[in-house]
Structure formats: structure tokens, C-alpha cells
Amino acid sequence: MRTKPVLLVIAHGSRDPRHAATVHALVRRVRSLRPGLRVETGFLDFNIPSVHGVLESLAAEGVRDVVALPLLLTRAFHAKADIPAVLRDAPPQLRIRQAEVLGPSPLLVSALERRLYEAGLTPADKASTGVVLASAGSSDPEAIAVIADIAREWRRTGWLAVRPAFASAALPRTEEAVRELRELGCARVAVAPYVLAPGFLPDRIARGAAEADVLAEVLGPAPEVARVLLERYDAARTPALAAVGA
């Protein structure tokens, strides 16, 4: 029987210890959903183990096939440049396929709604509530456009209004989007952080939500997020996706 490729989850890393703790919690949930799958975690910066270190260890064990999955919500600089560069430096005996980033996905929108309901909203509140879809932000136009598209599509599910906002690199900021929804006449304003783990930029989103009525938690180890990881893994391990460097 052919061995399944190892799933290597590649996280950005952070000086904030909550970041790594959340990543590890998410990986534990992925393992619980697919018990026979080996899942490893590597960080680009700040935390250990490093991506390079994990790849070296896998090669030393005799592993040959790896699916490298960027723990990112949009396809921006890290997915387009940083991660491919790290993977090109991997031991040559490894066959590595880079999976797609997590977003966009209907499952992630479901996770956003889960977090809003956990924060106190109900489906009955949707028609009177404006939502700020608050992401970390990027200088990549493709990533910004994806966030705008998600907001537009999410609005069609019944929310009174949905506005994108960014913690860095793009406008509007969270607080500006909150004020815009107030001026629009929304009876209630909620902020939904479209981020995976706590850290500097999510904290900035939280400060920007000071005048909102509801602030949801980050996506974190939501079951929907874990399912997206497995979807991306399954898609990447098919022969149709060329190996990195091939």
C-alpha cells in the first residue's frame, strides 16, 4: 500500500506565544479528523521548529512525499515567494507539492459565522446587523480583492451589510468600517476577524472594534478550518499538481 504524503503545515510564526499555541491546537484538530495522516508543523519565523528543520528531519527518516500547506487565508507574498523559496532549499530526495492557501472557502465563511454566534449573535440578528470583515491586510492587490469578494458574497447570505477592513497595508481600518456601518443605520455592528491566530495585527483589529457591539474571536482551531486544511491536502496530493521545482 502506498504511503500517504506527510502533511507539513507551514505557519508564519510570531513572538506572541498565543500564535503558536493556536496553530498547534488547529493541527491537533486536523489529526483528530484524519487519524491515519501524519501532520507536522513548521514555522517561517520566530518559532521552532523551522520549516527547513522539519524538512531535514523528514528526509533523514526516509520520508519521500510531502504536501506543504501554507497556513494562510490569502495568496499574497508569503505564499507566492517566501514559502516556495524555502521549499526549493529542501533536501533533494523529498518530493514536495505546495498546496493552495486556505481561502477563499465557504467553510471559512461558516467558521466566521460560528465565531459571531459564539460571541452572542443569532441567525435572527442578521437582517439588522452590519459586519466588518477584518483581515490582517496586504499590499498584494490580489489578496485585497479576495477579501472584498468574500465580503460581497457574505452579504448575500442575509446580513444587513458587510464591509471589508484591514489592520495594515490597506484601507479602511476596522474602526473606520465600524463608523461607516453606524452611519448606514445598522442597529448592531459586529467585527469578524478573518485571521487564524492571535497576534499583533489581530490585537489591532480588536482595538479598532472598540465601538462595535460584538467582537468575534479569531478563527483559530474551528472545525471548519481544519476541514479546509484537509481539502487542500487532498487536492494537492493528486498527480495533477506538479511537484515543487519540477
Side-chain angles (χ1 to χ4, degrees), residues 22-62:
T22 302
V23 170
H24 291 311
L26 175 58
V27 168
R28 286 194 297 272
R29 187 178 286 275
V30 172
R31 290 185 181 124
S32 72
L33 292 177
R34 190 77 61 88
L37 176 63
R38 180 175 177 180
V39 187
E40 300 291 341
T41 308
F43 296 90
L44 290 173
D45 205 354
F46 301 116
N47 302 106
I48 55 173
S50 68
V51 176
H52 183 74
V54 174
L55 293 172
E56 291 278 358
S57 296
L58 291 173
E61 289 179 32

Side-chain angles (χ1 to χ4, degrees), residues 50-117:
S50 68
V51 176
H52 183 74
V54 174
L55 293 172
E56 291 278 358
S57 296
L58 291 173
E61 289 179 32
V63 170
R64 290 296 175 263
D65 292 298
V66 177
V67 169
L69 195 156
L71 197 61
L72 301 167
L73 294 173
T74 57
R75 182 172 160 75
F77 182 78
H78 293 304
K80 293 177 180 178
D82 284 352
I83 292 174
V86 172
L87 298 181
R88 281 194 295 270
D89 287 338
Q93 61 266 44
L94 292 176
R95 293 184 292 264
I96 305 175
R97 293 170 180 161
Q98 181 176 330
E100 292 295 330
V101 298
L102 302 185
S105 167
L107 284 170
L108 295 178
V109 175
S110 296
L112 288 167
E113 295 217 358
R114 169 192 290 273
R115 292 303 188 220
L116 286 172
Y117 297 152

Side-chain angles (χ1 to χ4, degrees), residues 67-226:
V67 169
L69 195 156
L71 197 61
L72 301 167
L73 294 173
T74 57
R75 182 172 160 75
F77 182 78
H78 293 304
K80 293 177 180 178
D82 284 352
I83 292 174
V86 172
L87 298 181
R88 281 194 295 270
D89 287 338
Q93 61 266 44
L94 292 176
R95 293 184 292 264
I96 305 175
R97 293 170 180 161
Q98 181 176 330
E100 292 295 330
V101 298
L102 302 185
S105 167
L107 284 170
L108 295 178
V109 175
S110 296
L112 288 167
E113 295 217 358
R114 169 192 290 273
R115 292 303 188 220
L116 286 172
Y117 297 152
E118 290 171 349
L121 294 180
T122 70
D125 295 322
K126 293 179 77 167
S128 60
T129 302
V131 178
V132 177
L133 178 66
S135 76
S138 172
S139 59
D140 189 309
E142 178 185 348
I144 297 302
V146 166
I147 300 301
D149 287 344
I150 294 170
R152 184 163 47 251
E153 292 300 317
W154 198 17
R155 159 69 180 81
R156 293 173 180 167
T157 68
W159 297 100
L160 179 58
V162 180
R163 295 288 187 272
F166 308 94
S168 67
L171 297 174
R173 295 287 186 258
T174 302
E175 54 270 30
E176 295 166 351
V178 169
R179 286 195 293 269
E180 179 186 348
L181 290 173
R182 290 280 189 219
E183 292 167 1
L184 189 64
C186 296
R188 187 183 296 101
V189 176
V191 174
Y194 189 59
V195 292
L196 287 167
F200 176 75
L201 293 178
D203 284 350
R204 181 179 288 177
I205 289 172
R207 290 193 297 272
E211 296 181 9
D213 301 292
V214 173
L215 171 62
E217 293 292 329
V218 300
L219 295 173
E224 297 88 349
V225 179

